[in-house]
Amino acid sequence: MTNKQLPVDGKGLLNNPQHRAIFFQVLALALVVFFAFYFANNMFDNIESRGITTGFSFLNNTAGFGISQTLIPYDDGTSTFLDVFIVGLLNTLLVSVLGIIFASIIGLLLGVARLSSNFLMSKLALVYIETFRNIPILLQILFWYNVVLAALPSPRQSFVYLDSVFLNNRGLLLPEPILQSGSGAVIISFVLAIVAVIYLVRWSRQRHNDTGQEFPIFKVSIALLLLAPTLVYFIAGQPITAEYPVLKGFNFNGGLTIIPELLALLFALSIYTATYIAEAVRAGIEAVPKGQKEAAKSLGLKDYVILTKVVLPQALRVIIPPVINQFLNLTKNSSLATAIGYPELVTLFSGTTLNQVGQAIEIILMTMAVYLTFSILISLLLNWVNAKMAIKGR
């Protein structure tokens, strides 16, 4: 029963149930505001009495320390604490995005393997899931960093792949792409190919709904994504080259280096989160009644068509909600990187910067705001995808 449906049993202000409900809500809100103001005022009084500086002016001060991995230009002697914040934010974003991609791929493969009729494959997937799901993620990060990667050889005895990829205790070294004049045309052609693939997917679905005929969308899409940029690449005079890592003295120079801390963090986060995604995938596929698959087979549909047209549209509605939670957990678990010194937001800003500046309130609030923003954006995006899937199923 709502407040408007409550009977009016008196003429006084507080004898009216609707008025009483509004009064108590306003009173509760006033109490919350009062206590929030009281604690905030008390906190600032204590800060002032101790002579602690407040405000965000410290962001313009020179940081004066080095960072092992930066995605933007950073100088130890001139960069500010605001640059440190941006570097930490970008590194956190890098770990989160790569971790979500790898965890999704591993989780999908494991979930399908759990349902395989092959006994060995199914049991191996089960052992993998039960093993890594029941070990704390922090221990797994320490295991990959201190046990596995620390045991790799020195640069002189690196593992070499195709004479251009090197793996040692300094990290994974890859050829670094060098963009020259004309490379923009290649990038634009790749973007246009993606847009064309999206249009083709929509067109093939509409064509299938109207005529029932299948279009080889996967093969055409792969050909379009590979051939269009390659053709423009050669027409533009091969404007994209690569700088290869070269061993000089005791270490490599040049190339793209993925530091061991990032590798350990990615291994641990991807493998741990993939176990939960695998179970979500298995539960989603098993939620589709077997009768529907048998009916589709009796109509002569191919296994690929049954999977894409019958199973996945229904399974995804069960899979997506728990997967959203796992993506959020992975993003928040990236803060555990501080245990191995990877320069993400918590390590750089809530660790090193806080120790140098001492303004805990501003730094902790900024760090919390970043994680809150990331979580809300991931939730909004995947809830939108989930809503689109639900509408299509009706």
Side-chain angles (χ1 to χ4, degrees):
M1 181 178 290
T2 63
N3 292 334
K4 293 182 179 178
Q5 294 172 321
L6 293 173
V8 179
D9 56 358
K11 296 180 180 179
L13 181 64
L14 294 180
N15 289 332
N16 188 318
Q18 298 177 22
H19 293 167
R20 279 205 304 271
I22 295 173
F23 171 77
F24 285 117
Q25 290 179 50
V26 171
L27 180 62
L29 179 63
L31 287 173
V32 170
V33 172
F34 169 76
F35 281 111
F37 176 78
Y38 172 77
F39 285 116
N41 190 51
N42 187 47
M43 178 183 67
F44 284 113
D45 285 344
N46 291 333
I47 291 174
E48 186 176 359
S49 64
R50 295 185 179 185
I52 300 175
T53 307
T54 58
F56 295 91
S57 59
F58 73 93
L59 292 173
N60 296 321
N61 297 339
T62 302
F65 57 86
I67 301 176
S68 58
Q69 176 188 292
T70 62
L71 299 179
I72 60 172
Y74 180 88
D75 185 79
D76 299 358
T78 59
S79 294
T80 63
F81 287 114
L82 179 61
D83 298 321
V84 173
F85 174 76
I86 295 173
V87 169
L89 188 150
L90 291 177
N91 286 344
T92 297
L93 193 61
L94 175 69
V95 169
S96 301
V97 171
L98 292 179
I100 286 173
I101 293 173
F102 293 144
S104 300
I105 295 173
I106 298 172
L108 177 63
L109 295 177
L110 282 175
V112 174
R114 283 280 286 119
L115 298 173
S116 172
S117 57
N118 186 305
F119 177 82
L120 180 60
M121 182 179 294
S122 174
K123 295 306 175 186
L124 283 176
L126 176 62
V127 170
Y128 173 96
I129 291 171
E130 293 302 330
T131 301
F132 288 101
R133 185 171 61 174
N134 293 304
I135 298 176
I137 179 63
L138 180 57
L139 283 179
Q140 294 192 40
I141 293 173
L142 295 174
F143 169 79
W144 286 106
Y145 184 67
N146 293 317
V147 178
V148 178
L149 296 179
L152 290 174
S154 63
R156 285 181 176 274
Q157 287 80 37
S158 300
F159 296 117
V160 184
Y161 307 96
L162 303 175
D163 292 331
S164 57
V165 178
F166 304 89
L167 179 64
N168 54 54
N169 56 13
R170 303 289 179 86
L172 179 66
L173 294 98
L174 305 168
E176 182 179 8
I178 305 297
L179 303 181
Q180 299 175 351
S181 177
S183 59
V186 181
I187 297 174
I188 291 173
S189 67
F190 184 68
V191 173
L192 291 177
I194 293 175
V195 174
V197 167
I198 294 173
Y199 172 79
L200 273 177
V201 170
R202 292 182 176 179
W203 173 81
S204 65
R205 285 178 183 173
Q206 187 62 42
R207 180 174 180 264
H208 181 268
N209 293 335
D210 295 339
T211 65
Q213 296 179 349
E214 289 293 331
F215 183 78
I217 186 65
F218 181 76
K219 296 178 181 177
V220 174
S221 299
I222 294 296
L224 197 59
L225 290 173
L226 293 178
L227 292 179
T230 304
L231 186 62
V232 175
Y233 172 77
F234 284 105
I235 293 176
Q238 305 180 19
I240 300 177
T241 58
E243 182 188 26
Y244 292 87
V246 178
L247 181 62
K248 291 185 178 179
F250 295 100
N251 203 356
F252 282 87
N253 286 341
L256 183 65
T257 303
I258 302 177
I259 59 177
E261 291 81 4
L262 177 58
L263 288 176
L265 195 59
L266 281 179
F267 284 153
L269 290 176
S270 304
I271 289 173
Y272 177 78
T273 308
T275 59
Y276 292 94
I277 295 178
E279 287 299 272
V281 171
R282 181 185 63 81
I285 294 177
E286 286 189 333
V288 179
K290 292 183 179 179
Q292 295 191 20
K293 304 172 193 174
E294 294 169 356
K297 276 195 172 181
S298 67
L299 293 174
L301 297 179
K302 299 177 181 177
D303 290 340
Y304 170 75
V305 178
I306 295 174
L307 180 66
T308 56
K309 302 297 183 184
V310 179
V311 177
L312 282 184
Q314 300 178 80
L316 282 176
R317 282 179 286 176
V318 180
I319 294 172
I320 289 177
V323 168
I324 294 175
N325 290 331
Q326 296 312 316
F327 287 170
L328 295 177
N329 288 336
L330 187 148
T331 304
K332 289 179 283 189
N333 285 337
S334 67
S335 61
L336 295 173
T338 191
I340 57 174
Y342 176 70
E344 47 75 57
L345 188 62
V346 174
T347 304
L348 288 179
F349 205 59
S350 296
T352 308
T353 301
L354 177 58
N355 289 333
Q356 291 197 5
V357 177
Q359 293 185 226
I361 297 174
E362 294 85 350
I363 290 175
I364 296 298
L365 285 179
M366 287 177 68
T367 307
M368 291 169 64
V370 169
Y371 282 99
L372 180 63
T373 304
F374 283 172
S375 298
I376 290 175
L377 290 176
I378 293 173
S379 296
L380 289 176
L381 177 62
L382 292 181
N383 282 328
W384 175 77
V385 174
N386 193 32
K388 295 288 286 184
M389 296 302 300
I391 291 172
K392 290 177 181 177
R394 292 175 183 172

